[in-house]
Amino acid sequence: MTTDTALVLGATGLVGSELMARIYTYYKRVIVLSRRTVTMPYPNVEIHTIDFEYMDEYAALFQVEDVFCCLGTTIKQAKSKEAFRKVDYTYPLQAAKLSAAANVRSFTIITAMGSSSKSAFFYSRVKGDLETELQALPLHALHIVQPSLIIGARQEFRLGERAAATISPLLSPMLRGPLAKYRPIQASVISEAMLYAARSGLGGTHIYASDQLRIMAAQLKNNNN
Ligand SMILES: NC(=O)c1ccc[n+]([C@@H]2O[C@H](COP(=O)([O-])OP(=O)(O)OC[C@H]3O[C@@H](n4cnc5c(N)ncnc54)[C@H](OP(=O)(O)O)[C@@H]3O)[C@@H](O)[C@H]2O)c1
C-alpha cells in the first residue's frame, strides 16, 4: 500500500539507488536531496539539487513521515579526513536534527559494522560519534543500519569490495551463526531492510547488523506477497 511522503539523502549512491528503485512504490511522494542535478525514472520522485552546507534552508522539505540517509564517501574520494567527516558525520547529523525538529515518524541511516566512538580506526570512530549524537536527538524512531562490506554494481573501482564480491560465494557458507553478520551484503538487501525498518511502526532506537538486515529484507518481501 502506498502512503505518505519519504525523504532520501544519498539517493545516487550504491545503496541509495537500490532504495530509489523500490521506495517509490511504498510512498505517494518521495523527495530526494542531491548535490548534483540528476534525473530518475520514477513517477512520484521530486529531486532538489542543494548545497549540503546550507541544508537548514531546506528545513520545510523535512516535513515528511520517513527520512532515509544513505550519504557517505571515502577519504580517497573526499581527499581529506575533514571532508570525509563532513559527509559521514556533519551532513547526516544535520539531516537528523532537521528530521527531529519536523517530528518525523522515523529516521533510518546506514553507518557501518564496527562503528564506535572508541575505535582505533578513524572511519569507525566518525560513524560511532555520529551514532552517539543521533541517539541523543528527540527522534520518534531511529533505525541504525550497520552493514558489513557492501556489494553491488558500483561504477567506481573499489578494490576491497571487488575482492569481497569475488570470494564471497566461497567464504559465505563458512560464515554462519554468530559469524553471519560478517558476510558481505548486497546493497539491494540493505535497501529492503531500511524500508522494512522505517515502515515497521516501531519507536525508539534500533541497531541492525547484516544478519538481521537479511531477515528484515525477507520479511518486507513476505509482507508484499
Ligand atoms: N562500501 C561499503 O562496503 C560499506 C560498508 C559499510 C557501511 N558503508 C556505509 O554505507 C553508506 C552508503 O554506502 P554506499 O556505498 O551506498 O555509498 P556511495 O555509493 O558512495 O554513495 C554515497 C552517496 O552520498 C552522496 N555524497 C557523497 N559526497 C557528498 C557530498 N559532499 N555532498 C552531498 N552528497 C554527497 C553521493 O552523492 P553523489 O552521487 O553526488 O556522489 C551518494 O549519493 C555510507 O555511509 C558508507 O560509509 C559502506
Side-chain angles (χ1 to χ4, degrees), residues 9-17 33-36 38 50 52 69-74 77 83-84 86-88 91 110-113 123 127 145-151 154 156 158 161 187 190:
L9 303 101
T12 52
L14 181 58
V15 179
S17 53
L33 301 187
S34 171
R35 64 169 162 171
R36 59 193 170 91
V38 287
I50 71 158
F52 280 66
C69 183
C70 308
L71 286 173
T73 188
T74 58
Q77 269 182 339
F84 168 84
K86 214 158 225 191
V87 181
D88 280 67
Y91 296 161
I110 317 171
T111 60
M113 187 169 75
Y123 174 88
K127 300 283 195 190
V145 168
Q146 292 184 332
S148 47
L149 195 74
I150 303 173
I151 47 180
R154 192 189 293 284
E156 178 203 348
R158 293 191 189 172
E161 288 178 21
I190 299 172

Side-chain angles (χ1 to χ4, degrees), residues 5-7 29 31 33 46 48 50 54-65 67 94-95 97-99 101-104:
T5 304
L7 182 143
R29 184 170 162 237
I31 298 170
L33 301 187
E46 193 182 298
H48 295 257
I50 71 158
Y54 303 100
M55 206 188 292
D56 276 359
E57 293 176 10
Y58 301 88
L61 295 176
F62 285 75
Q63 297 287 341
V64 301
E65 275 71 34
V67 176
Q94 189 57 19
K97 284 181 178 170
L98 292 170
S99 301
N103 201 20
V104 302

